[in-house]
Amino acid sequence: MAFQIGSSLLDACVLSILAQGDAYGYRITQQIRNIVDISESTLYPVLRRLQKDGAMESYDQPFQGRNRRYYRLTARGIELYLDYQTQWEDFKQRIDQIILAGVSTEGGTNNDQK
Amino acid sequence: MTRSEFILELAAKLEGMPENERQDALQYYEEYFDDAGPENEQAVIAELKSPAAVAARIWAGNGGKTPSAPSSAQEAEASPPKERPSAVFWVLLCLLSPIWGSLLITAAAVLLALAVTLGALLISGLLCVVVGLCHLLSDPLNGVYTFSIGLAAIGLTIMTVPGVLWLVQKGIPALPRGVRRIWDSAVRFAHQ
C-alpha cells in the first residue's frame, strides 16, 4: 500500500481495538496487521507509550499455565478514543475532498486503492 | 536463530534500561512468542528482523512516531539512555564543598552578628535610659549624659527597623527560591 500509517493513526487503531474489549499484545498486533501493514516490532513501544500516557493499563491473566498480559482502556483512554473518532471523520472528509474530487458521489464513495 | 537466542540477545541490547522496563519488554516478547505458537517461531523471528532492530525501537520509545515504512533505515543504533545528573556532577559538588560550604557559613555568621549587634544596642540603650533617669537628681550632668546616650542607642536601633523588616519579608522567602535557582543552574551545568 502506498499510504503509511503514522503514530497518531496507530494510537487510534490500538485504542479502537481495545474499545471493543480487552486484548493482549499478540492479538492487537494481528488485528492491526490484518488491515494495515505494520512491522511486528512496532507495537510494543506504542503500547508502552499509551500506558505511560495513562490511556490504558495492563493486567495479567493466567492462560494455559502461563501469564498473558491484557490491556484495557482507562477513562482517559476512552476519552482519547472518542476524540480520535471525531478527528478521523473530519480528516477523512478533508482528504476525500481532494482525492475523490473527480469521483461522482452517487452511491457513496467507493474507493478501491490499489 | 532460535527464540531463546533472540530473547537473550534482546536482553543484552536493552542493558542500561531501568530494570522494570527491561523486564516488561522482555516479558512482552516472550508472551508474543508464546501466543504465536512454536510453529510460527521462525516466522516471528523473521518478521521482527533482529534483536538489534527491536531494541532500537524500544530505546527510541516512540513506537510509530517515525512512519513504519518497511525500511531498514530504522534499524539504526540504539539511542543512548536519557541523561541524568552525572556522577561527575556529584563528585564536583563534594569536592567544591569547602568553597560553597564556607560561603554559606559566612553568610549565616554575618546575619547572626548583625542580629547580636542590634540586640546589644537596644539593650544597652534601654539600660542607659533607666540608669540616666535614676541618676538625674543625684548627679544631673552625668545623668542627662547617660540618658541621652541611651536615647541615641535606641534611636539607632529603630533606624534599622525598616532594613530588618525588609530582610524578614523579602529575604527569608527569597532564600529557598535562591537556593533552588542555584541548584537548577548547577544541574543544568552538570548536564552540559
Side-chain angles (χ1 to χ4, degrees), chain A residues 1-112:
Chain A
M1 184 154 66
F3 304 114
Q4 285 172 3
I5 187 163
S7 162
S8 316
L9 207 45
L10 201 53
D11 283 7
C13 286
V14 171
L15 293 175
S16 308
I17 288 171
L18 290 180
Q20 313 294 320
D22 301 356
Y24 50 93
Y26 184 76
R27 206 178 124 82
I28 301 172
T29 309
Q30 297 309 315
Q31 260 183 287
I32 294 183
R33 277 161 60 84
N34 281 340
I35 298 161
V36 287
D37 182 33
I38 59 159
S39 153
E40 282 195 81
S41 60
T42 316
L43 210 62
Y44 175 71
V46 174
L47 293 174
R48 201 177 59 140
R49 180 161 44 76
L50 283 171
Q51 238 178 319
K52 270 191 179 165
D53 293 349
M56 59 191 217
E57 52 198 11
S58 66
Y59 60 95
D60 289 338
Q61 217 168 54
F63 172 79
Q64 292 184 353
R66 61 181 178 87
N67 254 336
R68 213 180 227 174
R69 177 154 292 180
Y70 278 80
Y71 299 90
R72 72 167 152 242
L73 290 185
T74 61
R76 195 181 136 65
I78 294 170
E79 214 173 278
L80 211 58
Y81 159 64
L82 294 175
D83 186 49
Y84 271 132
Q85 260 188 339
T86 50
Q87 285 198 48
W88 172 248
E89 277 295 337
D90 185 52
F91 181 76
K92 201 168 61 176
Q93 275 169 18
R94 284 159 192 269
I95 299 295
D96 279 355
Q97 275 172 21
I98 299 173
I99 295 187
L100 304 180
V103 180
S104 64
T105 51
E106 50 174 1
T109 51
N110 191 14
N111 42 347
D112 280 339

Side-chain angles (χ1 to χ4, degrees), chain B residues 45-176:
Chain B
I45 289 172
E47 179 69 43
L48 291 176
K49 291 185 186 123
S50 71
V54 174
R57 277 188 190 276
I58 298 174
W59 274 115
N62 58 359
K65 276 280 188 287
T66 48
S68 59
S71 72
S72 56
Q74 284 166 26
E75 295 172 40
E77 284 295 298
S79 57
K82 206 174 178 322
E83 271 184 79
R84 272 168 285 159
S86 58
V88 177
F89 170 68
W90 297 110
V91 170
L92 262 180
L93 201 67
C94 291
L95 283 179
L96 293 180
S97 62
I99 296 176
W100 57 259
S102 52
L103 277 177
L104 267 180
I105 292 171
T106 310
V110 167
L111 279 178
L112 188 68
L114 266 176
V116 169
T117 309
L118 282 178
L121 205 60
L122 185 64
I123 291 171
S124 55
L126 286 172
L127 270 178
C128 283
V129 166
V130 173
V131 170
L133 276 176
C134 291
H135 286 251
L136 210 53
L137 291 176
S138 57
D139 187 355
L141 216 56
N142 277 327
V144 169
Y145 176 67
T146 315
F147 181 71
S148 59
I149 285 185
L151 280 186
I154 293 172
L156 266 179
T157 315
I158 291 173
M159 272 171 65
T160 64
V161 164
V164 171
L165 273 182
W166 178 84
L167 210 62
V168 169
Q169 284 176 342
K170 292 272 168 71
I172 290 182
L175 260 181

Side-chain angles (χ1 to χ4, degrees), chain B residues 29-41:
Chain B
Y29 285 102
E30 287 274 16
E31 275 181 36
Y32 197 92
F33 276 113
D34 280 338
D35 285 321
E39 66 279 10
N40 290 321
E41 189 177 308

